[in-house]
């Protein structure tokens, strides 16, 4: 490693001047550090204080190496080969704050970056990179009491399998054995799975930190796989919610209520989801008004007042998205719901798009609103 | 995918004839199926009923693609390019039963197989493949009650971090709230981490199945990261056990006893480990005779009778390895311990080497011997 670092300094200098030429007005600051979600001991990918990402991949005999991450519409970032057999490149501009999926194209094949940890997205385990956010403290791992993330396997007669879910139990759950808890059922987006909200979403750390600060009353979060009927990209128009709704409502919820110390009542049960998980949340909450009392769509569609037949059964409607998505749509929908007498709240994440930073922030905003007496 | 499958049938026929030529006496049976640890929806890698593994990787512009898995001493398996831009190849012979790590070399760079799930080994997330074993039923996911695998974050003053561990709690743990459990502390090998025993070891499923069959009394398993002081490969000679021993004995065990319903006594506490984890187990159990009463080394060294100063404190010594490792060493060591009056048991896994199939089987043999009254 030590030998490489000298070569690296030289190639960094080269690359930064290329970056300068391309972006003209912006000087790339040479304070790149390894991304916080790199594999142990890996120096690349790196991120600088402006949010530029830099990649370095070994493939001495390759003819072409590209990284899918880059400024929109430019087809990612092309890496250049140095004499040491490593391909290096920097994004043409700063990336949005937060987490991004990406992959590497080596001579026409799709691979992951050997330096980065993998996260399940796009129906595969993809490389991930973290652009430090100004507000990253709210999902940081801190010296506070931590809840557990429990992998459970629950029987599903309808799909004839044991299915997996993750259950966040808040700090104190193990010890306070007479206490019972409300439950949020929280869904991932298209191409992701039940690992997403913990791994890339840091839902557990967001909760731990909110609880430590006294901002919320502890509750349980349950996350399971929402693509029960193998949803193809673009096939959402003909989406049938029945298979997933059956697993969630008829199988998982009774299992959770039977095996965890929940308050097994509609008033203490919420459902939320991001993107496709929001679409599922919308359909299921409207179908099953006696099951959930609090609804949250994170970049995942809207409710109109006329969608909801019995206003008395709904305690909260939460709608959110990134400022680069459809903020007016979200705000206007919440206003219409409020005007119709609903407890509706909208939230717009500044400077983010259809990505996990929007959803981390949305969970932080949502959690204190849930399960009010 | 449908278009590819026709090409695939043709290329399979080609490849199998190459395989025949190379192995001469063995006919490769064309009953290849996707490996059970492939990424969702991925057709490759595949395995046939003889244990041959076949790989297929897209990299149309690459000059060379190799897979690290293959018969010993042959440098893995070289893939051949077809006109469709996919590289395909079959191992020259059958692989040992069970789980294997591997990676792909594309034009001199090391990547993972986009078709396979990743598992942490060799200090990185590597591709994994599963060769169906004749006895795979004991670690299969079955319709039995399942325990949970809980991710915990415990405070570690000595390393100034929150550290991660996984805790297997057996089925019934949540409900039988007056019951207390014995604990096995179970360590991974060099280059692996605290995910290994659940992900590639299936420790949770092995336990679930043994419990369902009434072969063991339920107990808790705790798995944490054993490479506290960044052990370099080849640096084990100068290994200092103190940092990990401190985390395990002074920090993790009190946390577990404080947060889970354990029987917090030496008589109900065991330690085991595979490979480097066995070396750690041996050092810590000999140092901390008042902490553990039952010791298990899985392909991880031996105890001599003279190593153990106070025989009365040791209730069980379990030594195991694969038949391709050092079976006589393991058997002779157990015999010497028995002759010296110890309750010592040896186990040799037939037809396996220094790999997870040996350790899965070892856990299955060990579990019924632990925590006898």
């Amino acid at each position: 490693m030590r030998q490489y670092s000298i070569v690296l300094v030289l190639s960094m200098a080269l690359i930064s001047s290329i970056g300068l030429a391309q972006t003209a007005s912006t000087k790339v600051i040479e304070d790149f550090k390894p991304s916080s979600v790199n594999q142990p001991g890996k120096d690349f990918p790196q991120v600088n204080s402006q949010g530029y990402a830099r990649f370095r991949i070994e493939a001495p005999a390759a003819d072409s190496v590209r990284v899918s991450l880059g400024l929109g519409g430019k087809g990612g970032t092309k890496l250049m080969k140095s004499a040491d057999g490593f391909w290096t490149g920097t994004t043409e501009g700063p990336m949005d704050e937060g987490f991004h999926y990406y992959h590497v194209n080596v001579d026409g094949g799709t691979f992951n970056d050997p330096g980065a940890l993998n996260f399940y997205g796009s129906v595969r385990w993809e490389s991930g990179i973290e652009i430090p956010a100004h507000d990253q403290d709210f999902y940081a791992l801190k010296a506070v009491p931590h809840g557990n993330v429990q992998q459970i396997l629950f029987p599903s007669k309808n799909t004839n399998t044991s299915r997996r879910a993750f259950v966040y139990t808040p700090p104190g759950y193990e010890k306070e054995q007479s206490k019972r808890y409300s439950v949020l059922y929280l869904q991932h987006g298209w191409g992701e799975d039940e690992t997403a909200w913990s791994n890339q979403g840091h839902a557990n750390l967001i909760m731990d930190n909110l609880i430590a600060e006294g901002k919320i009353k502890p509750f349980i979060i349950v996350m399971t796989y929402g693509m029960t009927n193998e949803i193809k990209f673009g096939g959402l128009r003909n989406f049938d919610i029945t298979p997933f709704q059956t697993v969630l409502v008829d199988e998982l919820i009774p299992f959770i209520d039977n095996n965890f110390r929940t308050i097994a009542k509609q008033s203490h049960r919420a459902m939320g989801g991001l993107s496709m998980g929001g679409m599922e949340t919308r359909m299921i909450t409207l179908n099953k008004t006696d099951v959930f009392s609090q609804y949250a769509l994170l970049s995942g569609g809207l409710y109109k007042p006329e969608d909801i037949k019995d206003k008395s059964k709904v305690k909260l409607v939460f709608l959110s998205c990134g400022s680069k998505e459809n903020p007016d749509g979200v705000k206007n929908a919440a206003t219409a719901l409020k005007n119709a007498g609903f407890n509706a709240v909208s939230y717009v994440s500044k400077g983010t798009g259809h990505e996990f930073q929007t959803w981390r922030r949305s969970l932080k905003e949502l959690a204190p609103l849930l399960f009010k007496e």
Side-chain angles (χ1 to χ4, degrees), chain A:
Chain A
M1 285 314 286
R2 225 161 268 280
Q3 279 185 312
Y4 285 138
S5 48
I6 297 160
V7 179
L8 182 62
V9 170
L10 294 173
S11 61
M12 273 184 178
L14 266 172
I15 294 294
S16 73
S17 60
I18 294 166
L20 255 175
Q22 285 172 338
T23 55
S25 61
T26 313
K27 189 173 155 62
V28 179
I29 300 171
E30 285 301 323
D31 58 356
F32 286 85
K33 292 191 183 77
S35 157
S36 62
V37 291
N38 280 3
Q39 295 206 27
K42 297 289 185 183
D43 291 331
F44 283 84
Q46 297 191 336
V47 186
N48 80 351
S49 56
Q50 298 162 293
Y52 284 74
R54 180 169 288 168
F55 304 92
R56 187 165 189 263
I57 287 160
E58 185 178 22
D63 297 314
S64 160
V65 179
R66 294 190 72 93
V67 166
S68 64
L69 197 73
L71 296 188
K74 306 224 177 179
T77 301
K78 194 176 174 185
L79 308 192
M80 305 293 282
K81 190 165 151 182
S82 339
D84 61 3
F86 283 81
W87 294 74
T88 314
T90 306
T91 55
E92 284 188 74
M95 300 290 99
D96 286 350
E97 292 185 328
F99 175 84
H100 306 281
Y101 296 106
Y102 73 100
H103 54 261
V104 182
N105 188 301
V106 182
D107 282 352
T110 300
F111 299 92
N112 286 329
D113 185 337
L117 287 176
N118 300 323
F119 299 85
Y120 199 75
S122 308
V123 204
R124 55 187 293 272
W125 288 90
E126 283 223 305
S127 299
I129 190 168
E130 192 71 55
I131 309 295
H134 73 281
D135 57 347
Q136 62 188 351
D137 190 63
F138 79 84
Y139 51 87
L141 175 63
K142 297 185 196 175
V144 300
H146 295 289
N148 298 350
V149 178
Q150 308 198 22
Q151 176 191 281
I152 64 163
L153 297 167
F154 65 98
S156 165
K157 282 190 183 163
N158 286 287
T159 61
N160 198 27
T161 51
S162 287
R163 301 187 71 84
R164 186 170 70 165
F166 290 96
V167 180
Y168 169 81
T169 51
Y173 180 86
E174 271 292 332
K175 284 193 170 174
E176 297 170 48
Q177 298 218 343
S178 60
K179 200 169 168 185
R180 303 190 78 89
Y181 297 81
S182 305
V183 184
L184 166 63
Y185 289 82
L186 187 60
Q187 288 305 123
H188 59 82
W190 182 89
E192 296 170 342
D193 71 6
E194 65 274 27
T195 63
W197 266 111
S198 307
N199 283 357
Q200 46 268 54
H202 298 316
N204 54 326
L205 299 179
I206 293 169
M207 291 291 290
D208 292 346
N209 291 336
L210 287 170
I211 292 166
E213 289 166 22
K215 289 188 178 159
I216 62 168
K217 273 174 61 178
F219 58 85
I220 289 170
I221 301 180
V222 177
M223 300 154 279
T224 196
Y225 185 56
M227 295 173 71
T228 311
N229 41 341
E230 291 195 30
I231 302 150
K232 306 278 181 216
F233 194 64
L236 293 181
R237 194 169 302 203
N238 304 316
F239 182 66
D240 176 13
I241 193 65
T242 316
F244 176 56
Q245 181 175 285
T246 303
V247 168
L248 182 74
V249 176
D250 299 343
E251 298 180 332
L252 179 56
I253 291 178
F255 183 89
I256 294 292
D257 285 337
N258 199 24
N259 287 281
F260 290 84
R261 298 195 315 278
T262 64
I263 305 169
K265 290 197 266 187
Q266 189 256 11
S267 57
H268 289 267
R269 207 181 283 123
M271 183 170 181
L274 72 89
S275 192
M276 182 200 76
M279 185 193 76
E280 293 176 334
T281 297
R282 188 178 171 283
M283 293 169 115
I284 292 175
T285 51
L286 294 176
N287 287 344
K288 299 285 181 182
T289 53
D290 290 331
V291 177
F292 302 100
S293 59
Q294 293 157 71
Y295 314 168
L297 310 184
L298 287 54
S299 310
L302 308 167
Y303 293 92
K304 291 175 193 163
E306 59 267 31
D307 292 336
I308 301 168
K309 270 152 212 139
D310 186 349
K311 200 186 296 179
S312 70
K313 289 189 170 168
V314 185
K315 292 170 71 180
L316 173 72
V317 178
F318 178 90
L319 303 173
S320 76
C321 70
S323 65
K324 298 186 176 184
E325 299 190 271
N326 178 25
D328 289 341
V330 157
K331 284 181 218 163
N332 294 341
T335 303
L337 287 162
K338 271 185 267 190
N339 291 343
F342 288 93
N343 174 28
V345 176
S346 68
Y347 167 72
V348 174
S349 162
K350 273 186 199 158
T352 61
H354 200 72
E355 292 194 282
F356 247 105
Q357 192 67 7
T358 298
W359 307 320
R360 291 168 176 168
R361 289 175 181 166
S362 296
L363 176 60
K364 175 183 162 245
E365 298 298 320
L366 168 65
L369 305 173
L370 290 171
F371 312 119
K372 296 277 186 196
E373 290 307 319

